[in-house]
C-alpha cells in the first residue's frame, strides 16, 4: 500500500478532458457561476489587478522618497498616493487574498464538500467586492483620497477635499463581501464535512479560515457602521464625531480599531494556514503539535478582539487602559509564537526539499518572526511614544503584511497552482522569483526600521538629508521586490498553455484536495462523497522504513 | 398532494436536514453580524450618554412617548403574526400563511407610517441635526433637564435619527422581502417540506423587533421616572 503512494507516477500525467474550468466557456458562465472554484478564479484575477495597482502606488512612494526634497510630487499628491496604496492593498488585496482565492478554492474540497454551503452568497460576495473595486477606481479617477486608509475624523469629515464618501462606500461594500465569505466558511465547516472528517482531522488551513471567519463576521460590521457615520457626518455636515458639537474623534478611533486591529489577523491567519499545509508536505513529516496550532488560531482570533487600544497610546487614552491593552497585546504574541515553534519542530529531522512553495514558507517564518517581535516593541507603551507614527511602524506592519501575508499568499498560490490549473510552472523561475522577493523585501523594509528608530516620521514626502542613504537602499530593494513579483504573471500564464500536466498530486501531498483530479471536476469528487479515514498530515519520512513496513 | 424532500435539496447538499441546518446556522451568523452592526451605534450612544446625561434626558423628554409606545405594541404584534405565519407554513396551512404574512406587512407599514409622523414633527420643531437645528427651550415639547448645550442636544438627535433610521431601513428591506414571500405563498410555493424561506425571514423580522425593544427604552424612556 505505502509503496504505491511513494513511487512517483512513471506514466506522464495527462490533463482531464473535462474539468470545472472548461465545462462551460462563455463569459456569462464565469461571471454568474456558483462553483466555488470558478469564483476563486474570479477573485484571483481581480485581486491580482488590485495588487498591481496598489504596487504601482508603492513604487510612486519609493520614487518620491529617493531624495530628501519633495521634488517628484507635491505634498497633496503624496498624501493621495500613500492613501490609495493603503486602501487598495488592505481592502482590495490583503483581506480577500488568501480566503477568497485559495480558501474559496481549496476549503470545500479539503473537508470533502461539493461546494460552499451558500454558492449564491459566494457569488454575491464577489460581486460586492467588484462593485467596491469599481468605486475605488472611481475615487482614483475623480481625484483620489488623502485621508490615509484610516479615515480619521475630523480630517476625513471636515477638512478633506477629496472623494471620502465614495471611498467609504467602496470599503463598506468590500467589507460586506468579506462578511459573506466568512459566513459561508463557518457554515460550510460546521455542516458540510464528509463522513470521517472530524474537527481534529481538518487541515490546519481550514482551522485558520474558521478563526478568520469569526473575526470577519464579528468585526467587519463595526467598521462598516463607523464608516457610515463618517459618511453621514460628511454629507450632512453633522455627526457623531464632530468636536464642534461635543462629538469625540477618539470614539471613532476606538470603533475603527475595534475592527481594524482584528482585521490584521484576518490578513495573517489564513497565511498561517497556508504555511501549516506547506511545511509538513515539503518536510515529509506529520505536523508537530496539531492541536496547538489549531487552538492558537482560535486564541489569536479571540484575544485579537481585545487589543485595539494599543493604537491609541498617544491619543489621550487612559494610561491604565493602555496598560491593560499592552498586556493583552503581549498575550496575543503567545499563540503566534506557538505556531512558529511548531512549524520549526515539524521541520526538525524532516526530509526538507526546496521547491518554490517551501522557499516562500521559510521566508514567511523568518519575516513573520521579525514582524511579530517588533510588534512587541511597539506594544510597550513607553517605546511607542518614541516609535508612534515613525517608519518603525511602517516597517513592522509591512514585515507582517508583506513579509507575512503576501509571502504566504504566494506560497499557497504556488502550492495549489497545479491543482487549480492542472499544469506545473517552471520550477527554477519560480524559485528565482521567490528568492528575489525575499531578498528585495528585506532590503526594502529593514532600512525602514532604522529610519523609524532614528525618528523619521511616516506620511511625509520630504525628510532631512541624513536619512537619504537608507531611503535609497529601501527604494533599490523595492525594485528587486518588484522584479520578483513581476516575474510571476509571466511564468504562471506561460504554464497555463505550455506547462507540463501536473497530475493529481505533484507534491505527494496528503489531504483530500490532492486525491481528486487536477483540475477538479465541477462537483469536486468524481467518485462520490469521500469517507475520511486518516488525518491530513499522515506523511512518512523514511522510504526504506516505509518499504519494510509494506513487506510485513 | 404529497411532496418528497428530494426535490427541494440543492445539488451540493446531501440531504434535506443538512440543507435546513446550514440555512439556519447561516441566518444566525448573519444576525450576529447585525448585532455587531447595531452594536457600534449602541456603543456610541453609551459613550455620549455618560458624557452628556443632561442632554440625553432632555432629548429623551422631547420624544413622543405615546407614538413610540404605540409603535412598540405594533411591532410586538407583528412578531406574533410572523410567528404564527411560520407555524402555518410548517403545517401546510397556506391560506392562513398568506393572511399571516399580509398582517405582518400591514403592521410593518403602520409602524413606518407612525415613524414618518414622528420624524415630521421633529422636523417642524427644528430638531433635525444640521444648520437649522435649534432647540427652543421656551417652546419645547417636553421639560428641560439641567443645562444641555445646543451641540450636545444635536448629538442626541443625531443618534436618535441614525439609530431609528437604521432600524427603519431594516423594516423597509423586511417589507420588500415580505411582499416577495406573499407572492410566493400565493403561487403555492410553500409546503411543509419547503418553508425555510419563511422560517429564516421570521428570524430576521424578530431580530428587527428586538432592536426596537432596546431602542424604545434607550431613546424614549430615559427620564420618565418618578
Amino acid at each position: 500500500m505505502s509503496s504505491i503512494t511513494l513511487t512517483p507516477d512513471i506514466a506522464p500525467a495527462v490533463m482531464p478532458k473535462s474539468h470545472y474550468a472548461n465545462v462551460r466557456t462563455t463569459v456569462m458562465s464565469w461571471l454568474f457561476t456558483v462553483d466555488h472554484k470558478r469564483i476563486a478564479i474570479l477573485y484571483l484575477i481581480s485581486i491580482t489587478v488590485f495588487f498591481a495597482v496598489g504596487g504601482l502606488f508603492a513604487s510612486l512612494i519609493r520614487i518620491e522618497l529617493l531624495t530628501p526634497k519633495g521634488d517628484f510630487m507635491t505634498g497633496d499628491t503624496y498624501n493621495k498616493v500613500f492613501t490609495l496604496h493603503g486602501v487598495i492593498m488592505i481592502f482590495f488585496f490583503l483581506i480577500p487574498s488568501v480566503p477568497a482565492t485559495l480558501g474559496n478554492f481549496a476549503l470545500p474540497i479539503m473537508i470533502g464538500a461539493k461546494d460552499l454551503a451558500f454558492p449564491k452568497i459566494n457569488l454575491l460576495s464577489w460581486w460586492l467586492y467588484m462593485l467596491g473595486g469599481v468605486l475605488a477606481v472611481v475615487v482614483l479617477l475623480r481625484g483620489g483620497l488623502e485621508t490615509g486608509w484610516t479615515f480619521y475624523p475630523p480630517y476625513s469629515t471636515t477638512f478633506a477635499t477629496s472623494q471620502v464618501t465614495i471611498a467609504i462606500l467602496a470599503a463598506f461594500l468590500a467589507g460586506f463581501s468579506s462578511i459573506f465569505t466568512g459566513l459561508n466558511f463557518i457554515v460550510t465547516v460546521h455542516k458540510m464535512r464528509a463522513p470521517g472528517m472530524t474537527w481534529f482531522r481538518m487541515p490546519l488551513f481550514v482551522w485558520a479560515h474558521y478563526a478568520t471567519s469569526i473575526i470577519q463576521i464579528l468585526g467587519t460590521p463595526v467598521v462598516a457602521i463607523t464608516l457610515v457615520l463618517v459618511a453621514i457626518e460628511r454629507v450632512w455636515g453633522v455627526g457623531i464625531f464632530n468636536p464642534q458639537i461635543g462629538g469625540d474623534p477618539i470614539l471613532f478611533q476606538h470603533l475603527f480599531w475595534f475592527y481594524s486591529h482584528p482585521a490584521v489577523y484576518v490578513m495573517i491567519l489564513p497565511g498561517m494556514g497556508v504555511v501549516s499545509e506547506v511545511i509538513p508536505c515539503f518536510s515529509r513529516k506529520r505536523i508537530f503539535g496539531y492541536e496547538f496550532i489549531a487552538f492558537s488560531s482560535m486564541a489569536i482570533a479571540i484575544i485579537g478582539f481585545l487589543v485595539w487600544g494599543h493604537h491609541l497610546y498617544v491619543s489621550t487614552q487612559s494610561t491604565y487602559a493602555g496598560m491593560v491593552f499592552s498586556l493583552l497585546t503581549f498575550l496575543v504574541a503567545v499563540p503566534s509564537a506557538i505556531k512558529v515553534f511548531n512549524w520549526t519542530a515539524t521541520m526538525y529531522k524532516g526530509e526538507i526539499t526546496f521547491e518554490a512553495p517551501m522557499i516562500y514558507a521559510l521566508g514567511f517564518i523568518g519575516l513573520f518572526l521579525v514582524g511579530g517581535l517588533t510588534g512587541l516593541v511597539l506594544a510597550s507603551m513607553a517605546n511607542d511614544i518614541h516609535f508612534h507614527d515613525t517608519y518603525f511602524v511602517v516597517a513592522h506592519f509591512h514585515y507582517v503584511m508583506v513579509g507575512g501575508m503576501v509571502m504566504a499568499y504566494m506560497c499557497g498560490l504556488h502550492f495549489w497552482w497545479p491543482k487549480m490549473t492542472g499544469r506545473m510552472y517552471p520550477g527554477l523561475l519560480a524559485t528565482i522569483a521567490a528568492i528575489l522577493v525575499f531578498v528585495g523585501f528585506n532590503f526594502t523594509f529593514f532600512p525602514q526600521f532604522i529610519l523609524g528608530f532614528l525618528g523619521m516620521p511616516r506620511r511625509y514626502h520630504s525628510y532631512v538629508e541624513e536619512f537619504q542613504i537608507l531611503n535609497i537602499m529601501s527604494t533599490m530593494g523595492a525594485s528587486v521586490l518588484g522584479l520578483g513579483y513581476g516575474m510571476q504573471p509571466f511564468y504562471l500564464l506561460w504554464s497555463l498553455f505550455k506547462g507540463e500536466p501536473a497530475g493529481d498530486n505533484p507534491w505527494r501531498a496528503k489531504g483530500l484536495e490532492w486525491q481528486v483530479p487536477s483540475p477538479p471536476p465541477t462537483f469536486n469528487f468524481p467518485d462520490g462523497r469521500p469517507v475520511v479515514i486518516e488525518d491530513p498530515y499522515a506523511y512518512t519520512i523514511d522510504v526504506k522504513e516505509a518499504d519494510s513496513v509494506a513487506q510485513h | 398532494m404529497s411532496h418528497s424532500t428530494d426535490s427541494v435539496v440543492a445539488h451540493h447538499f446531501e440531504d434535506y436536514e443538512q440543507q435546513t441546518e446550514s440555512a439556519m446556522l447561516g441566518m444566525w451568523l448573519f444576525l450576529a453580524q447585525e448585532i455587531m452592526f447595531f452594536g457600534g451605534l449602541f456603543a456610541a450612544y453609551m459613550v455620549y450618554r455618560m458624557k452628556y446625561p443632561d442632554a440625553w434626558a432632555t432629548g429623551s423628554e422631547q420624544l413622543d412617548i405615546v407614538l413610540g409606545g404605540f409603535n412598540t405594541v405594533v411591532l410586538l404584534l407583528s412578531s406574533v403574526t410572523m410567528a404564527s405565519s411560520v407555524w402555518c407554513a410548517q403545517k401546510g396551512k397556506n391560506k392562513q400563511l398568506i393572511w399571516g404574512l399580509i398582517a405582518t406587512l400591514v403592521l410593518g407599514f403602520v409602524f413606518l407610517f407612525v415613524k414618518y409622523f414622528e420624524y415630521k414633527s421633529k422636523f417642524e420643531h427644528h430638531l433635525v441635526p444640521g444648520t437649522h437645528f435649534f432647540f427652543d427651550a421656551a417652546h419645547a415639547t417636553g421639560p428641560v433637564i439641567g443645562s444641555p448645550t445646543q451641540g450636545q442636544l444635536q448629538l442626541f438627535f443625531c443618534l436618535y435619527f441614525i439609530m431609528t433610521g437604521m432600524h427603519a431601513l431594516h423594516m423597509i428591506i423586511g417589507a420588500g422581502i415580505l411582499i416577495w414571500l406573499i407572492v410566493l405563498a400565493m403561487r403555492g410555493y410553500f409546503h411543509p417540506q419547503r418553508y425555510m424561506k419563511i422560517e429564516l425571514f421570521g428570524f430576521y423580522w424578530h431580530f428587527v423587533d428586538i432592536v426596537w425593544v432596546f431602542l424604545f427604552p434607550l431613546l424614549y424612556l430615559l427620564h420618565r421616572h418618578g
Side-chain angles (χ1 to χ4, degrees), chain B residues 8-224:
Chain B
V8 296
V9 176
H11 68 271
H12 58 296
F13 288 114
E14 296 302 318
D15 50 39
Y16 181 70
E17 195 189 358
Q18 189 190 31
Q19 172 165 311
T20 53
E21 283 182 0
S22 299
M24 294 230 258
L25 180 59
M27 195 65 203
W28 279 115
L29 290 171
F30 179 75
L31 295 183
Q33 178 277 128
E34 286 279 32
I35 288 173
M36 297 308 287
F37 189 79
F38 278 99
L41 290 174
F42 280 103
Y45 172 95
M46 274 196 311
V47 168
Y48 290 133
R49 186 189 166 189
M50 280 165 73
K51 247 180 151 166
Y52 309 123
D54 287 350
W56 251 238
T58 307
S60 175
E61 286 283 359
Q62 314 308 317
L63 300 180
D64 193 326
I65 193 170
V66 177
L67 290 182
F70 174 76
N71 257 351
T72 309
V73 175
V74 166
L75 268 197
L76 290 177
L77 270 179
S78 84
S79 256
V80 174
T81 57
M82 190 60 229
S84 54
S85 302
V86 174
W87 184 82
C88 294
Q90 280 170 344
K91 300 288 172 201
K93 299 173 187 299
N94 198 46
K95 211 170 162 188
Q96 289 94 321
L97 167 67
I98 294 169
W99 282 114
L101 293 176
I102 289 176
T104 311
L105 182 67
V106 168
L107 288 166
F109 276 132
V110 169
F111 177 92
L112 290 170
F113 192 64
V114 172
K115 202 77 220 149
Y116 165 76
F117 281 105
E118 274 193 83
Y119 281 172
K120 191 161 169 270
S121 117
K122 294 293 161 294
F123 186 79
E124 282 157 0
H125 287 90
H126 297 283
L127 293 179
V128 176
T131 41
H132 295 291
F133 181 89
F134 181 71
F135 178 72
D136 185 357
H139 301 96
T141 45
V144 180
I145 292 106
S147 49
T149 66
Q150 291 288 339
Q152 293 163 2
L153 282 163
Q154 201 174 165
L155 258 187
F156 174 84
F157 281 100
C158 272
L159 275 164
Y160 165 78
F161 276 102
I162 294 171
M163 289 172 102
T164 56
M166 203 55 85
H167 176 261
L169 182 68
H170 277 76
M171 299 272 306
I172 292 167
I173 293 169
I177 301 172
L178 252 177
I179 292 171
W180 174 59
L181 290 177
I182 291 168
V183 171
L184 281 181
M186 283 174 161
R187 289 190 192 152
Y189 176 89
F190 298 108
H191 54 75
Q193 273 77 43
R194 185 162 75 178
Y195 72 100
M196 244 319 119
K197 288 189 174 71
I198 304 277
E199 174 99 46
L200 296 178
F201 180 76
F203 281 25
Y204 174 83
W205 194 256
H206 295 316
F207 168 78
V208 177
D209 283 3
I210 288 168
V211 171
W212 180 258
V213 168
F214 283 92
L215 286 181
F216 178 61
L218 286 179
L219 293 170
Y220 290 76
L221 304 183
L222 265 189
H223 199 256
R224 313 269 182 169

Side-chain angles (χ1 to χ4, degrees), chain A residues 201-268:
Chain A
R201 275 187 191 155
M202 291 196 314
L204 291 163
F205 182 79
V206 179
W207 271 104
H209 276 77
Y210 186 81
T212 306
S213 304
I214 292 175
I215 304 174
Q216 287 175 312
I217 291 180
L218 297 182
T220 321
V222 178
V223 85
I225 187 68
T226 309
L227 292 179
V228 167
L229 293 177
V230 170
I232 289 174
E233 182 160 338
R234 213 181 144 76
V235 173
W236 282 289
V238 282
I240 306 302
F241 308 117
N242 184 355
Q244 279 178 331
I245 60 169
D248 188 355
I250 306 299
L251 176 65
F252 171 88
Q253 297 184 20
H254 278 286
L255 291 173
F256 179 82
W257 289 111
F258 179 83
Y259 163 74
S260 295
H261 194 79
V264 304
Y265 301 115
V266 170
M267 299 180 226
I268 195 72

